[in-house]
Amino acid sequence: YLEVIPSVQLISHTRWMKNHHDWQNLREGNNDNGYCLSNPAVQPVVEQLVRDVIDLLKPRYFHIGLDEIEQGGLPACPKCKAGNLEELMFAHLRPILAMFNEKGITPIIYQDQFFGFGEPCVQRGLPIEKLPEKIGKNTIINTWEYWHFPSSALAETIRNHGFESLLYMSFAISTDNCQNLPKIAAQVGAKGNILAYWSMIPATFDVPDWPLPDFYPSFIAQANYCWNVLDIEFSRIPIDG
């Protein structure tokens, strides 16, 4: 069966704010990659959005992103820089994580802000030794590595810091990545593998010709491979099941 897992990017990659004219003053200047955590109007909007999604879908899992925060407006915002970015970030996340806990929802976050790509990226965010107590050890860490030949080193780093549950993400335009990362996911006992199509979806989400003609066949073939990755060769994936 299919289970819907909602994804609402928090703090970074918040282009969804562009779709509502009342939210334009919440963004970090003209930056599409973040909202201002020093703006008191941000918190109730984000919390209500998350609450609405929960009420609609009643999910078991909820992906909140948190990747590539340093590419957004937060690190450059004069108001946010005047305070402690770590405290700002977790003061914003705390009531949302409490909402998840109350409703029995497991949060999912990306790894790069805290674990980098196998080496701790402490300069990007919270020192990872403190991360489990801040977000809970039950949080699923979604690793994304778009290299052609990734390794399992990142999974070991994450688990050494108290997180057992992992997801992996394959990059749809890299055949090598799509072939190798699902194998690593299976070998390290990850919960699953996500197939990412970021490169095919513009920031405006305005795609009149979407989906592409080969989207569904290729998606089904890749899903079949991920489900049977240890039993089937990538070059011999059947599309008809």
Side-chain angles (χ1 to χ4, degrees):
Y1 65 94
L2 294 178
E3 178 176 358
V4 176
I5 299 177
S7 174
V8 176
Q9 290 275 165
L10 301 187
I11 302 179
S12 62
H13 295 308
T14 57
R15 294 186 179 95
W16 48 266
M17 278 194 161
K18 294 182 69 174
N19 297 331
H20 199 304
H21 65 276
D22 289 341
W23 294 345
Q24 300 313 301
N25 64 326
L26 306 181
R27 294 159 55 199
E28 286 280 20
N30 295 321
N31 196 302
D32 293 335
N33 261 358
Y35 44 70
C36 181
L37 293 181
S38 297
N39 185 339
V42 164
Q43 193 72 30
V45 167
V46 175
E47 285 188 35
Q48 187 59 55
L49 176 65
V50 171
R51 191 175 293 111
D52 287 346
V53 173
I54 291 173
D55 290 344
L56 177 65
L57 298 176
K58 297 177 174 53
R60 292 193 301 157
Y61 306 94
F62 201 121
H63 205 313
I64 57 174
L66 302 182
D67 60 319
E68 299 181 323
I69 291 175
E70 78 283 355
Q71 293 185 17
L74 176 62
C77 173
K79 289 183 179 179
C80 293
K81 283 200 305 183
N84 183 302
L85 292 182
E86 175 190 319
E87 290 178 1
L88 269 177
M89 184 168 69
F90 282 95
H92 174 64
L93 294 175
R94 199 170 294 118
I96 296 169
L97 294 172
M99 192 188 314
F100 291 162
N101 186 58
E102 178 187 346
K103 296 182 179 294
I105 297 170
T106 301
I108 305 172
I109 68 169
Y110 290 116
Q111 99 289 348
D112 63 290
Q113 201 64 37
F114 309 103
F115 297 97
F117 299 93
E119 293 295 330
C121 269
V122 176
Q123 74 275 13
R124 287 186 169 190
L126 182 74
I128 54 179
E129 287 75 14
K130 298 181 181 179
L131 191 61
E133 67 186 61
K134 291 285 189 179
I135 65 172
K137 289 185 178 181
N138 69 315
T139 299
I140 296 174
I141 307 298
N142 181 185
T143 68
W144 59 272
E145 294 185 90
Y146 295 159
W147 329 131
H148 293 297
F149 301 98
S151 75
S152 60
L154 184 54
E156 183 178 351
T157 298
I158 293 170
R159 284 186 166 146
N160 284 342
H161 285 85
F163 295 96
E164 287 300 321
S165 296
L166 304 174
L167 276 174
Y168 273 77
M169 179 175 289
S170 300
F171 197 30
I173 64 171
S174 171
T175 303
D176 287 329
N177 185 274
C178 284
Q179 179 176 357
N180 295 312
L181 207 56
K183 284 185 179 180
I184 293 175
Q187 289 165 357
V188 302
K191 281 187 169 292
N193 191 78
I194 297 172
L195 187 60
Y197 280 85
W198 310 134
S199 61
M200 303 179 188
I201 304 177
T204 59
F205 298 104
D206 181 18
V207 193
D209 297 325
W210 180 261
L212 302 174
D214 60 352
F215 171 79
Y216 291 115
S218 64
F219 181 82
I220 292 170
Q222 180 66 16
N224 189 16
Y225 176 67
C226 290
W227 290 325
N228 303 282
V229 67
L230 299 181
D231 302 316
I232 188 172
E233 289 297 323
F234 188 76
S235 60
R236 302 176 68 85
I237 304 172
I239 294 179
D240 60 1

